[in-house]
Amino acid sequence: MSPHTTSSPQLLDAADPERTHWIELPAHRSSVGVARRSVGARLAAWRLPRDLCADAVLLLSELATNAVCHTLSARILCGIGLVTDGCLRLEVHDHDYTGRRLPRCEAGPDDEGGRGLFLVEQLADTWGVDRSRLTGGNAVWANLTA
């Protein structure tokens, strides 16, 4: 399982408040729920299809959980944006400067974790990892279309 290797679209423009939403949080497990609620509220305000919103909240939750659990970051930056009217972009930026790759694992049937990137791969139209111009760490992104 690996991110798409095609050239990635540009990362979100952090300056357009009408089409983007950003939240910066401490890299603690409790922050994942805060990110989920914040993103869910913005998606509801944008009046996007319910299924798209549910998938987006799930994927952002998985990306944020990975950043919290598998990087050396003290803070994470979560963003969503309407790239076009039918395309939603999710991003989680960390402050991990080590250059380590995303953790890979094969979850067993009784394992409680280890399926996050599998879910991202299955639900996202495209996804990948780039160097973040906002934090200098990793920017893991995923695109969903309605």
Side-chain angles (χ1 to χ4, degrees):
M1 174 177 19
S2 63
H4 293 270
T5 55
T6 59
S7 62
S8 65
Q10 285 289 10
L11 295 176
L12 287 174
D13 178 3
D16 186 354
E18 296 300 317
R19 297 188 63 87
T20 60
H21 174 71
W22 290 94
I23 184 168
E24 184 174 8
L25 298 163
H28 300 163
R29 289 181 187 263
S30 61
S31 294
V32 176
V34 174
R36 246 191 329 263
R37 287 186 296 279
S38 176
V39 165
R42 179 53 61 104
L43 292 169
W46 284 339
R47 299 180 185 266
L48 296 172
R50 184 174 294 165
D51 289 345
L52 179 65
C53 293
D55 288 349
V57 168
L58 173 63
L59 292 187
L60 187 85
S61 178
E62 294 299 335
L63 297 179
T65 298
N66 277 351
V68 166
C69 293
H70 300 294
T71 72
L72 302 174
S73 297
R75 301 191 65 75
I76 59 171
L77 180 63
C78 302
I80 58 170
L82 294 168
V83 178
T84 65
D85 287 337
C87 183
L88 184 65
R89 172 94 164 186
L90 315 166
E91 295 180 11
V92 174
H93 299 244
D94 62 45
H95 290 84
D96 190 338
Y97 310 116
T98 64
R100 293 181 299 161
R101 294 182 173 262
L102 292 169
R104 300 282 186 241
C105 65
E106 292 288 326
D110 296 327
D111 291 340
E112 290 184 18
R115 294 175 184 80
L117 291 179
F118 175 76
L119 288 171
V120 172
E121 186 173 71
Q122 296 304 305
L123 293 175
D125 295 315
T126 57
W127 74 283
V129 183
D130 291 303
R131 185 60 48 204
S132 171
R133 69 181 190 284
L134 301 175
T135 66
N138 301 301
V140 183
W141 56 268
N143 289 339
L144 294 168
T145 53

